[in-house]
């Protein structure tokens, strides 16, 4: 795969700036109520792949894109994405949480869907460039952030069943509040599967989320918040939620399902495991049979359950339940381990605590300089 080589440290030599940026930034203001993922920051990034190589990208005003109706993504769903956050809480300089992990996972998802790999420099130009030019719109109260959504999709206009030879990489951003999941009630989904064994469950692929919508609607009808998915082979073991990984505290040990080809390897999951181990907790990545867990809740051996992901950070579970209405309540709406892990993670992300793992990556100076340059303002 060819890629326009990085030229020195100056991002300006790697991608261009659209002439409409100054106006887009000047005319944007943050609304009072942000929500999660519903307000879009005024600057986005785009780079296109054609003739076997990535072309130089561009920072552009946020807005509609034009796409050929025959584009493969619209028919065969050749699309993968990421979700990550830039934080600027209090006096903390703007910093991203573990961005290289998102780049690696995006490429793993891309490989599964036969999309071309994205060079790390191009990915970082996208996420750092978008963060830098939107820096003035990163909300700075605790729990708030700039949610970044990098994505790749096949744009070749051709209905043949083959990998797209033309692809776009884009990064959009949404100034957001914390996604408030509250203390969740989960439906044990015994009727449907989110993904197939050997399928695309371990990839961050748009279709996996479309597939989860029907169960989400049933959750709402039955009075649950979210779906808890089981393994697609026998619906015996717990896998994850539609957008978060799952943990339980059993006999004082932290259990989480062992990763498989049908579970997304969450970056928050990995971080929670490291934080818990550093705190001296025993963490087991193991198969967790749903019926066993329900029994442990009934007998009190399971004291806490929670789910975690970029959007909600760490969200407590207050009960699990069945479609027939049988409910299994946890002893507290939020347990001690859950509260500790959420606070510990958020304190690192928001710059209140030491970062012994080196997870926070400050926005590099060369991108900030770009935002200050005469070319933009
Ligand atoms: C299916 C699924 N599982 C787990 C996660 C949690 O992953 P992360 O912690 O990287 O956000 C997400 C969210 O990205 C997801 O969509």
């Amino acid at each position: 795969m060819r890629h326009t080589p990085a030229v020195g440290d100056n991002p300006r030599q790697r991608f261009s700036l659209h002439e409409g940026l100054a106006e887009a930034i000047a005319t944007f203001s943050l609304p009072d109520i942000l929500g999660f993922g519903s307000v879009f920051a005024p600057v986005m990034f785009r780079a296109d792949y054609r003739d076997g190589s990535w072309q130089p990208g561009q920072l552009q005003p946020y807005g509609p894109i034009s796409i050929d109706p025959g584009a493969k993504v619209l028919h065969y769903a050749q699309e993968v994405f990421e979700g990550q956050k830039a934080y600027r809480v209090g006096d903390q300089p703007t910093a991203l949480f573990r961005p290289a992990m998102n780049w690696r996972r995006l490429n793993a998802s891309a490989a599964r869907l036969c999309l071309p790999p994205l060079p790390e420099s191009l990915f970082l130009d996208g996420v750092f460039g978008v963060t830098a030019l939107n820096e003035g719109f990163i909300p700075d109260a605790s729990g708030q952030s700039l949610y970044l959504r990098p994505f790749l999709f096949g744009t070749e206009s051709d209905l043949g069943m083959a990998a797209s030879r033309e692809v776009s990489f884009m990064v959009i951003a949404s100034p957001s509040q914390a996604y408030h999941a509250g203390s969740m009630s989960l439906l044990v989904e015994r009727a449907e599967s989110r993904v197939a064994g050997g399928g695309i469950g371990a990839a961050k692929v748009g279709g996996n989320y479309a597939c989860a919508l029907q169960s989400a609607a049933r959750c709402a009808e039955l009075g649950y918040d979210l779906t808890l998915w089981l393994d697609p082979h026998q619906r015996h073991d717990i896998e994850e939620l539609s957008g978060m990984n799952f943990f339980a505290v059993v006999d004082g040990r932290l259990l989480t399902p062992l990763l498989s080809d049908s579970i997304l390897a969450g970056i928050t999951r990995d971080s929670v495991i490291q934080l818990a181990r550093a705190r001296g907790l025993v963490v087991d990545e193991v198969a967790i049979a749903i019926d066993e867990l329900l029994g442990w809740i009934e007998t009190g051996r399971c004291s806490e359950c929670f789910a975690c992901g970029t959007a909600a950070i760490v969200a407590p579970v207050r009960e699990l339940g069945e479609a027939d209405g049988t409910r299994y309540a946890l002893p507290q709406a939020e347990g001690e381990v859950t509260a500790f892990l959420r606070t510990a993670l958020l304190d690192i992300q928001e710059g209140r605590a030491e970062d012994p793992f080196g997870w926070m990556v400050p926005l590099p100076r060369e991108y900030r300089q770009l935002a200050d340059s005469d070319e933009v303002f």
Side-chain angles (χ1 to χ4, degrees):
M1 182 209 40
R2 286 176 285 138
H3 170 58
T4 313
V7 185
D9 285 340
N10 185 354
R12 190 60 192 87
Q13 293 169 285
R14 298 195 297 271
F15 57 80
S16 58
L17 302 173
H18 188 284
E19 60 192 23
L21 286 177
E23 193 190 340
I25 293 168
T27 52
F28 181 83
S29 60
L30 278 179
D32 291 339
I33 295 172
L34 290 174
F36 184 84
S38 15
V39 172
F40 290 101
V43 179
M44 66 182 190
F45 182 86
R46 176 170 184 167
D48 295 321
Y49 177 91
R50 60 175 173 272
D51 302 327
S53 66
W54 284 103
Q55 309 300 311
Q58 187 178 57
L59 284 166
Q60 308 176 340
Y62 180 87
I65 56 170
S66 118
I67 188 162
D68 192 285
K72 286 191 192 271
V73 66
L74 298 179
H75 305 274
Y76 307 131
Q78 215 188 351
E79 187 263 357
V80 301
F81 68 98
E82 270 306 317
Q84 59 194 108
K85 285 176 172 173
Y87 295 84
R88 190 187 67 151
V89 174
D91 299 332
Q92 188 201 207
T94 301
L96 278 76
F97 184 67
R98 308 187 73 183
M101 295 276 285
N102 294 98
W103 167 66
R104 275 190 225 110
R105 190 170 65 185
L106 185 71
N107 272 348
S109 301
R112 183 65 183 81
L113 258 64
C114 295
L115 287 161
L118 194 69
E120 186 173 18
S121 58
L122 182 55
F123 179 82
L124 293 178
D125 278 347
V127 295
F128 286 148
V130 164
T131 303
L133 288 219
N134 292 311
E135 195 175 14
F137 307 116
I138 305 180
D140 58 5
S142 181
Q144 297 182 330
S145 62
L146 185 68
Y147 180 77
L148 296 158
R149 172 56 63 93
F151 56 113
L152 274 176
F153 54 103
T155 53
E156 184 182 353
S157 173
D158 183 327
L159 298 182
M161 271 300 300
S164 184
R165 286 166 300 188
E166 290 166 21
V167 174
S168 289
F169 166 57
M170 298 189 68
V171 183
I172 57 175
S174 175
S176 291
Q177 314 270 38
Y179 173 80
H180 237 304
S183 186
M184 302 177 296
S185 170
L186 304 182
L187 169 68
V188 177
E189 179 55 86
R190 297 193 190 257
E192 294 179 2
S193 294
R194 185 184 80 100
V195 294
I200 52 176
K204 210 161 161 57
V205 167
N208 290 343
Y209 301 82
C211 183
L213 295 175
Q214 186 167 282
S215 179
R218 199 164 56 245
C219 280
E221 273 165 32
L222 297 173
Y224 292 99
D225 297 315
L226 294 172
T227 303
L228 180 63
W229 296 101
L230 307 178
D231 78 90
H233 306 281
Q234 296 172 305
R235 302 210 187 100
H236 181 270
D237 295 332
I238 295 175
E239 295 229 306
E240 58 176 327
L241 280 65
S242 302
M244 290 185 245
N245 293 111
F246 181 83
F247 283 81
V249 180
V250 178
D251 295 334
R253 301 162 82 95
L254 193 55
L255 309 188
T256 192
L258 186 63
L259 293 176
S260 71
D261 65 4
S262 48
I263 298 180
L264 189 81
I267 295 164
T268 318
R269 173 188 183 278
D270 178 83
S271 309
V272 159
I273 291 173
Q274 292 193 52
L275 280 169
R277 290 198 170 128
R279 168 84 169 188
L281 280 163
V282 177
V283 183
D284 291 330
E285 296 178 65
V286 286
I288 307 173
I290 182 62
D291 291 336
E292 226 165 359
L293 184 77
L294 295 176
W296 292 335
I297 295 175
E298 282 190 314
T299 57
R301 284 181 63 188
C302 174
S303 53
E304 301 179 32
C305 293
F306 66 86
C308 69
T310 297
I313 325 270
V314 171
V317 172
R318 73 169 188 283
E319 64 175 11
L320 269 55
E322 306 278 3
D324 69 6
T326 316
R327 309 234 172 186
Y328 301 81
L330 275 305
Q332 303 161 63
E334 176 167 21
E336 230 173 80
V337 174
T338 308
F340 162 76
L341 289 167
R342 206 213 5 255
T343 305
L345 185 55
L346 207 55
D347 282 353
I348 292 176
Q349 291 171 330
E350 297 187 346
R352 286 184 296 275
E354 294 267 305
D355 174 20
F357 307 98
W359 287 338
M360 300 310 292
V361 176
L363 181 63
R365 191 167 38 93
E366 58 270 24
Y367 293 90
R368 184 166 294 113
Q369 282 168 349
L370 187 76
D372 293 336
S373 75
D374 296 343
E375 286 169 286
V376 178
F377 294 103

